[in-house]
Amino acid sequence: MSLLVRACFGIHIYYYNCNYVTAKLYKRTSYLLPALRKSTVGNKNAPKSSSHEGQAATQNMSFENMVESRREEACRSILVQVHSEQSCFHLHKYCCQYGEVKGMHHYSLPGSSHFVLVEFTHKANVDHILKCSSHVNRKEVIPVRSPFLWFRAPNKPLQPNHTSSEPPTPVEINGNNIPAPAELRNWIQAAESFSDQILVLHRATSLNDLGSRLRFLTARQIELALSGLFPQITVMPFGSSVNGFGKAACDLDLVLLADKEETNDEDNSDCRIVFHAKTLLTNGRTQVQRHMETLGDMVQMLLPGCSHVRRILQARVPIIKYHQDLTGVECDLSMTNMSALYMSELLYILGASDWRVRPLVFAVRSWAREIGLTNPTPGRWITNFSLTLLVLFYLQQHSKHKGPVLPTLNTMISLAGSGDHRITSEGVNCTFIRDVSQLCHHMASSSKKLPNTDNLETLFIGFFEFYSSFDFTTHAISLTNGTSVTKPDHSPMYIANPLERGLNVSKNVSHDETERLRIEFRNTAWMLESVSLTPHETSLTVSQKKADEAWGLTALFEAPQSAAKGRNIFYLPTQRVPPPRIMDVSNLFQQDTDEVGDSFVRDSAVPVNTLSSNKQQSEVQGRLKPSKVAKVSRRVHRR
Ligand code: GTP
Ligand code: MG
């Protein structure tokens, strides 16, 4: 049960001293256990997703407030590479000289590099510590100053200090730990019902608090680098990092807005003092491409931790792709993509308006990944974004007696207040209601039908039944009025862009892939009728084998058709990005695994999970042999 609790609520290991650890964990688990035991199915008060203490704090905020709060948090944070998790104590002590430390979050990346994200109470503390920081080998490095730092060994040996009088700052250890596939399987198997399995999957695999912090700090790096030229610059995360549908380790989509004033429509035209500036090229697209090229050079040549820079300038939206080795995040940086930002806001609002939406989207996206329908590289296959829109559209449907789970975009537009007016510089109207509670109130009070209280199991099955009979050949999906419409062109699949009318979000999807999707919908609808959707009875008399027998989601994901494609949620994905090229800083750290820090971890009542991901990978792969399952031939659909 304790594993399940950790999975669901992402309890990480906190330490400052042993008593503090024990007290803190006791406090958290004693509060969470009853919540987990209580069946969450169909319960509007179902425990909120995520470990994710910081996440929980931002959960009831509007999208704009959540983004602002995360951006402000990033301004008060620094990222420090350390020798090991045992360095946290010394780092904490050192940082306290510069101001009050609000929290410390440790994580490690492949190659055993350890980092601590330190959050100060005030931005001035960050300015102070950066002012006092220095470069190593100044003649050999580009002397960039940024909040990406190292913690080097002291010039004189440290004195052991077991009796610190510092206030107990919580230190999160291994905050980026993603459950090992076998562990995840156990948690899902141990759930009480199929609906609970979906909740467990969501909670165990969604982007956590540290993941969000690291993404906003990654955005801040670009902002700081360009702030001399553009003091009003904003680099905004969008897509799954902020829309509530992000997986742990998801990519970071960024949009760079050079001058905030323009987006705020502030009018300074009466001011007699004007800036000198270079004239824009007449061709706006060429201008953006040139800027992106320069930006790519800057990222590649100057910014610490940024590697594998690729310039994709011919795409409809030109982007710079790069990997931030210090935060472990893969980034797509674009300019002039405001409508995508508002799209993230729309998805965030829909996800927040009913507790079932995000777990359902997670389950469908996991399903698609398992059977190889989606792929991290763009191509002629359906994207996660299109799949998400398919789920949202399905939730807008209503039956004869039951109302829909989600409102249509038209309803959201009609409820928009004066503060919701948004039009991008390209003229895209992104006006819709931003107040989630008002939207929920409207949904509850305006429906003449019974409210939809279906549990996740019913909704999941209903999704596959709905799309098994959907005619993709003649019909398009429109979230604007929540109904299918006649296709305006001959694209194999047409999902109308909710904000940029006339654009097809699934334009990239080929005939073959549409056909495959249709077959998989039917196949899965059929499978859901045949696999067991309830856990197997376990008792002392029942063998362990029976208890381990796959059921529900596990059965669905481990079915021959998933495994035949050689991919499975219970296998670790192969690493997409080459190993980070972080400078070897081992000579900067002496053994500060000394005295206090070391004994903290060893003496702790809580086991510290220091298993490296490589070790986990080889262990898991040893246990599950793809070749075995790959032999099983694919079942043909029967409908
Ligand atoms: P993953 O990265 O796969 O986790 O999901 P994602 O939602 O971040 O998708 P993706 O990175 O492909 O796209 C990022 C965001 O860009 C989406 O969430 C949308 O807001 C937006 N977006 C993606 N595709 C389109 C499109 O075809 N049209 C428009 N207007 N926006 C898009
Ligand atoms: Mg993305």
Side-chain angles (χ1 to χ4, degrees):
M1 179 55 95
S2 63
L3 280 180
L4 193 56
V5 172
R6 253 187 67 203
C8 294
F9 300 97
I11 291 180
H12 302 294
I13 294 150
Y14 288 77
Y15 71 87
Y16 193 83
N17 61 41
C18 296
N19 288 342
Y20 181 66
V21 173
T22 321
K24 180 127 182 136
L25 274 176
Y26 175 75
K27 202 171 141 205
R28 295 177 61 152
T29 47
S30 59
Y31 158 71
L32 296 168
L33 272 170
L36 183 69
R37 288 209 184 96
K38 198 166 94 186
S39 176
T40 55
V41 182
N43 177 3
K44 283 205 170 190
N45 299 320
K48 298 281 188 301
S49 71
S50 322
S51 33
H52 317 161
E53 277 190 346
Q55 206 85 324
T58 54
Q59 237 160 22
N60 296 324
M61 289 184 183
S62 72
F63 180 79
E64 281 175 1
N65 289 346
M66 180 274 289
V67 168
E68 262 329 292
S69 145
R70 287 290 186 195
R71 278 167 49 75
E72 193 269 331
E73 194 177 74
C75 293
R76 290 185 284 102
S77 303
I78 56 171
L79 187 67
V80 189
Q81 188 170 2
V82 292
H83 181 259
S84 69
E85 62 265 54
Q86 282 111 25
S87 313
C88 289
F89 175 82
H90 294 302
L91 178 64
H92 174 264
K93 214 168 161 229
Y94 197 80
C95 287
C96 281
Q97 299 172 66
Y98 298 94
E100 192 186 330
V101 173
K102 200 168 173 198
M104 294 180 68
H105 307 261
H106 160 271
Y107 64 95
S108 57
L109 292 175
S112 296
S113 33
H114 292 259
F115 298 87
V116 182
L117 188 147
V118 183
E119 182 193 358
F120 284 98
T121 308
H122 303 289
K123 183 178 174 297
N125 308 140
V126 170
D127 297 339
H128 187 193
I129 201 166
L130 293 186
K131 203 165 165 227
C132 300
S133 301
S134 63
H135 290 96
V136 180
N137 304 331
R138 209 188 148 92
K139 286 188 187 143
E140 291 171 21
V141 298
I142 302 167
V144 170
R145 287 180 173 256
S146 81
F148 291 75
L149 307 156
W150 294 336
F151 188 44
R152 66 172 153 190
N155 290 334
K156 45 182 188 216
L158 291 166
Q159 296 303 312
N161 182 1
H162 289 269
T163 52
S164 168
S165 56
E166 307 288 353
T169 300
V171 180
E172 182 187 26
I173 299 293
N174 284 328
N176 66 336
N177 242 8
I178 296 176
E183 209 175 6
L184 178 61
R185 184 192 190 276
N186 287 343
W187 293 337
I188 292 178
Q189 277 286 102
E192 287 173 12
S193 65
F194 188 72
S195 297
D196 280 344
Q197 284 192 322
I198 295 177
L199 283 175
V200 169
L201 175 73
H202 175 233
R203 286 170 190 159
T205 59
S206 59
L207 185 68
N208 68 8
D209 176 49
L210 179 58
S212 295
R213 287 173 186 269
L214 291 175
R215 278 159 180 74
F216 277 84
L217 196 62
T218 304
R220 173 108 183 113
Q221 182 182 33
I222 307 284
E223 248 178 38
L224 282 170
L226 292 170
S227 58
L229 285 170
F230 306 101
Q232 308 263 14
I233 192 173
T234 316
V235 176
M236 288 290 235
F238 69 99
S240 57
S241 296
V242 290
N243 66 17
F245 297 112
K247 257 180 63 146
C250 67
D251 296 354
L252 171 61
D253 302 292
L254 293 169
V255 57
L256 186 157
L257 310 164
D259 198 308
K260 210 175 171 195
E261 261 182 302
E262 279 173 24
T263 56
N264 284 350
D265 286 332
E266 275 172 29
D267 189 5
N268 287 353
S269 52
D270 284 344
C271 180
R272 288 193 56 197
I273 304 293
V274 285
F275 294 109
H276 262 294
K278 295 204 163 178
T279 18
L280 285 169
L281 298 179
T282 42
N283 184 334
R285 186 172 164 79
T286 310
Q287 181 81 50
V288 170
Q289 287 169 332
R290 295 280 298 275
H291 282 177
M292 296 292 286
E293 222 172 315
T294 313
L295 197 59
D297 288 345
M298 183 199 77
V299 171
Q300 184 169 354
M301 308 288 290
L302 302 177
L303 299 193
C306 298
S307 70
H308 302 98
V309 179
R310 287 139 289 159
R311 297 158 186 79
I312 301 169
L313 305 179
Q314 300 308 323
R316 186 174 76 85
V317 178
I319 56 168
I320 303 287
K321 282 174 114 44
Y322 68 96
H323 190 253
Q324 174 36 277
D325 297 342
L326 306 173
T327 54
V329 178
E330 179 71 14
C331 309
D332 284 359
L333 176 62
S334 59
M335 291 170 75
T336 64
N337 199 7
M338 275 307 282
S339 67
L341 186 63
Y342 291 130
M343 184 76 81
S344 303
E345 187 171 21
L346 177 65
L347 263 53
Y348 177 90
I349 293 167
L350 289 171
S353 64
D354 189 287
W355 67 271
R356 295 164 293 183
V357 180
R358 287 172 182 160
L360 188 66
V361 168
F362 256 68
V364 170
R365 281 164 69 143
S366 300
W367 161 82
R369 193 170 54 252
E370 290 322 302
I371 58 171
L373 277 171
T374 47
N375 190 313
T377 38
R380 57 184 195 285
W381 33 84
I382 193 160
T383 61
N384 273 331
F385 176 55
S386 294
L387 258 185
T388 305
L389 295 186
L390 286 185
V391 179
L392 299 180
F393 177 75
Y394 157 69
L395 293 174
Q396 289 178 329
Q397 307 307 304
H398 48 87
S399 64
K400 200 169 168 195
H401 303 293
K402 247 188 294 183
V405 174
L406 288 179
T408 64
L409 181 58
N410 273 343
T411 305
M412 293 178 73
I413 293 170
S414 69
L415 293 171
S418 55
D420 297 321
H421 189 74
R422 307 278 189 287
I423 297 186
T424 70
S425 52
E426 294 87 31
V428 182
N429 193 339
C430 301
T431 303
F432 48 81
I433 185 171
R434 260 78 185 171
D435 185 334
V436 177
S437 49
Q438 203 187 327
L439 178 64
C440 293
H441 180 256
H442 171 86
M443 286 290 286
S445 58
S446 65
S447 177
K448 295 188 180 68
K449 298 182 180 181
L450 289 173
N452 185 320
T453 54
D454 288 344
N455 63 19
L456 283 167
E457 174 182 325
T458 309
L459 291 175
F460 188 76
I461 296 170
F463 171 83
F464 289 98
E465 283 171 353
F466 178 78
Y467 283 110
S468 292
S469 54
F470 190 89
D471 186 0
F472 286 101
T473 322
T474 55
H475 283 81
I477 278 158
S478 163
L479 277 84
T480 309
N481 43 20
T483 54
S484 59
V485 292
T486 308
K487 265 204 306 204
D489 65 25
H490 296 294
S491 309
M493 177 181 277
Y494 200 110
I495 302 175
N497 187 314
L499 298 179
E500 291 173 270
R501 311 279 161 83
L503 291 184
N504 176 10
V505 166
S506 53
K507 198 170 174 202
N508 61 310
V509 185
S510 69
H511 270 288
D512 284 358
E513 287 295 320
T514 309
E515 189 52 24
R516 214 178 121 210
L517 188 66
R518 241 158 33 91
I519 291 172
E520 295 294 0
F521 281 141
R522 291 179 185 190
N523 206 14
T524 303
W526 172 80
M527 273 193 61
L528 284 166
E529 282 176 15
S530 54
V531 297
S532 168
L533 298 183
T534 48
H536 300 290
E537 285 295 314
T538 55
S539 71
L540 291 176
T541 54
V542 179
S543 71
Q544 185 61 31
K545 190 169 175 292
K546 177 105 196 251
D548 283 346
E549 227 169 79
W551 67 277
L553 275 189
T554 329
L556 198 63
F557 291 163
E558 286 177 354
Q561 45 268 73
S562 324
K565 295 200 169 77
R567 296 159 56 88
N568 190 292
I569 196 167
F570 306 121
Y571 292 92
L572 276 175
T574 49
Q575 212 182 348
R576 219 188 316 153
V577 179
R581 294 184 303 165
I582 300 170
M583 280 176 79
D584 181 12
V585 293
S586 50
N587 57 340
L588 290 176
F589 307 124
Q590 284 161 6
Q591 65 285 46
D592 62 1
T593 56
D594 60 283
E595 324 100 9
V596 187
D598 199 19
S599 64
F600 266 4
V601 177
R602 265 192 273 109
D603 295 345
S604 163
V606 183
V608 178
N609 185 359
T610 51
L611 199 63
S612 79
S613 55
N614 282 349
K615 191 173 170 206
Q616 281 170 351
Q617 187 157 351
S618 56
E619 263 182 18
V620 172
Q621 282 170 350
R623 259 175 270 153
L624 306 167
K625 291 205 170 60
S627 54
K628 245 188 196 173
V629 277
K631 279 186 202 149
V632 186
S633 63
R634 188 173 168 65
R635 272 195 240 174
V636 265
H637 71 92
R638 302 202 179 164
R639 282 190 183 180

